[in-house]
Amino acid sequence: MSFTVTPSGAACGASIAGIDLARPLSESTVAALRRTWLEHKVLAFVDQDMNDDDLERFSLYFGQFAGDPYIASMEERPNIIELRRTADETSPIFADAWHTDWSFGETPPAATLLYGITIPPHGGDTDFINQEKALAEMPASLRQRLQGKMALHSAQRAYAPDGLYGKNDADRGRGFKILTSDSAYRVQPHPIIRAHPETGREALFGCIGYVLGFQDMDESQSMDLLMELYHWQTREEFQYHHHWQPGTLVIWDNRSVLHKANGGYEGYERVLHRTVIK
């Protein structure tokens, strides 16, 4: 099965057309899609008419399901999370800070997939940042200070009982259930610069959203370096802004991009289904 690839023209991202994800794909097509995904880091499959069976089948082409430690899945679909925001919801926008999914885990996931079901007429874009490009164009002096550093990742700011989505968020009427836990206080080190396990290309991994600081550094100096890194790695020239349409499936590589959600659709419902791949 052939397909067409249209690069976004931004720092990463491409649109894929001419392929029907509601049908099983051949091994050669899956292999070609994986090569395209690794090259562009974010793929948007437009004009798809998929059900949850189709979403699960396509997800498994990229690996096994990873589950989610802090968000409840759909009752009848343990591998799918429904990210629903009702038209009258007033809670803060979920995941609106730069991050890479579950970087606080011992083995963070490779891929995240989102399928747009109910999409507002405006707002709700998802933004991505190419962390290979951010590293490649980084000033040598900053890279030298980061080289060899271990970043300390933790979910505590978000998913601990006293975190952003903890007790103070419980009564805000979200359209999905967040599962806060004391396990979010755990700290997991990862190299701030690491090689991609499939391509071998080096990239930055993580940012201040899930990173508390750097191992074996004074707290004040660690935070200064972390903030300097943040201001560099989130520059506009490294970004791609994805505008959603109903029936679009997006898959991104957590190992080479950061992402965040955006609001701007007050008064409209928004529903997406999500899977995460080991």
Side-chain angles (χ1 to χ4, degrees), residues 26-47:
S26 67
E27 289 185 8
S28 60
T29 298
V30 171
L33 286 174
R34 192 175 195 95
R35 290 193 297 270
T36 305
W37 174 57
L38 291 173
E39 177 184 355
H40 294 283
K41 300 169 181 56
V42 184
L43 298 184
F45 295 83
V46 298
D47 298 327

Side-chain angles (χ1 to χ4, degrees), residues 89-142:
E89 187 173 324
T90 58
S91 62
I93 295 295
F94 178 71
D96 64 345
W98 292 112
H99 65 287
T100 183
D101 285 336
W102 314 351
S103 67
F104 48 78
E106 183 177 355
T107 54
T112 301
L113 297 90
L114 270 183
Y115 179 60
I117 298 172
T118 303
I119 302 300
H122 53 75
D125 292 358
T126 302
D127 296 338
F128 299 90
I129 315 181
N130 184 340
Q131 294 299 282
E132 286 182 8
K133 184 175 176 65
L135 178 62
E137 299 182 13
M138 176 179 286
S141 59
L142 178 55

Side-chain angles (χ1 to χ4, degrees), residues 231-278:
H231 289 307
W232 173 263
Q233 70 186 152
T234 59
R235 290 165 68 102
E236 178 66 31
E237 60 261 38
F238 306 140
Q239 297 185 26
Y240 158 57
H241 307 288
H242 174 73
H243 180 65
W244 285 94
Q245 298 290 341
T248 297
L249 176 76
V250 174
I251 176 172
W252 65 85
D253 190 338
N254 281 298
R255 302 162 296 185
S256 56
V257 299
L258 299 174
H259 68 280
K260 73 178 182 71
N262 291 280
Y265 53 95
E266 294 78 7
Y268 293 93
E269 184 177 53
R270 185 174 185 263
V271 181
L272 303 98
H273 281 189
R274 184 178 90 167
T275 60
V276 182
I277 299 300
K278 291 182 180 178

Side-chain angles (χ1 to χ4, degrees), residues 61-276:
Y61 290 140
F62 290 83
Q64 295 300 306
F65 292 118
D68 195 306
Y70 299 116
I71 305 175
S73 61
M74 299 171 66
E75 185 173 343
E76 70 281 12
R77 295 279 180 171
N79 297 309
I80 298 177
I81 290 169
E82 182 173 83
L83 296 176
R84 178 184 295 272
R85 185 177 178 88
T86 61
D88 59 354
E89 187 173 324
T90 58
S91 62
I93 295 295
F94 178 71
D96 64 345
W98 292 112
H99 65 287
T100 183
D101 285 336
W102 314 351
S103 67
F104 48 78
E106 183 177 355
T107 54
T112 301
L113 297 90
L114 270 183
Y115 179 60
I117 298 172
T118 303
I119 302 300
H122 53 75
D125 292 358
T126 302
D127 296 338
F128 299 90
I129 315 181
N130 184 340
Q131 294 299 282
E132 286 182 8
K133 184 175 176 65
L135 178 62
E137 299 182 13
M138 176 179 286
S141 59
L142 178 55
R143 175 160 184 160
Q144 185 176 16
R145 292 161 61 204
L146 292 168
Q147 197 71 43
K149 290 285 192 301
M150 298 293 288
L152 301 174
H153 296 245
S154 175
Q156 61 187 253
R157 292 183 182 134
Y159 299 113
D162 58 352
L164 180 63
Y165 302 118
K167 296 174 183 177
N168 293 333
D169 191 72
D171 298 325
R172 285 173 167 164
R174 289 194 182 274
F176 56 93
K177 186 176 182 180
I178 296 177
L179 308 171
T180 56
S181 169
D182 286 341
S183 67
Y185 292 113
R186 295 172 185 160
V187 175
Q188 176 65 48
H190 292 295
I192 193 63
I193 298 174
R194 66 176 199 170
H196 192 288
E198 292 187 69
T199 67
R201 294 192 290 265
E202 288 190 321
L204 297 164
F205 184 68
C207 72
I208 196 169
Y210 286 140
V211 176
L212 304 178
F214 294 102
Q215 197 170 65
D216 301 325
M217 278 192 73
D218 171 82
E219 183 176 354
S220 176
Q221 292 178 336
S222 179
M223 186 55 63
D224 288 346
L225 179 57
L226 191 59
M227 290 306 301
E228 185 177 348
L229 169 62
Y230 179 80
H231 289 307
W232 173 263
Q233 70 186 152
T234 59
R235 290 165 68 102
E236 178 66 31
E237 60 261 38
F238 306 140
Q239 297 185 26
Y240 158 57
H241 307 288
H242 174 73
H243 180 65
W244 285 94
Q245 298 290 341
T248 297
L249 176 76
V250 174
I251 176 172
W252 65 85
D253 190 338
N254 281 298
R255 302 162 296 185
S256 56
V257 299
L258 299 174
H259 68 280
K260 73 178 182 71
N262 291 280
Y265 53 95
E266 294 78 7
Y268 293 93
E269 184 177 53
R270 185 174 185 263
V271 181
L272 303 98
H273 281 189
R274 184 178 90 167
T275 60
V276 182

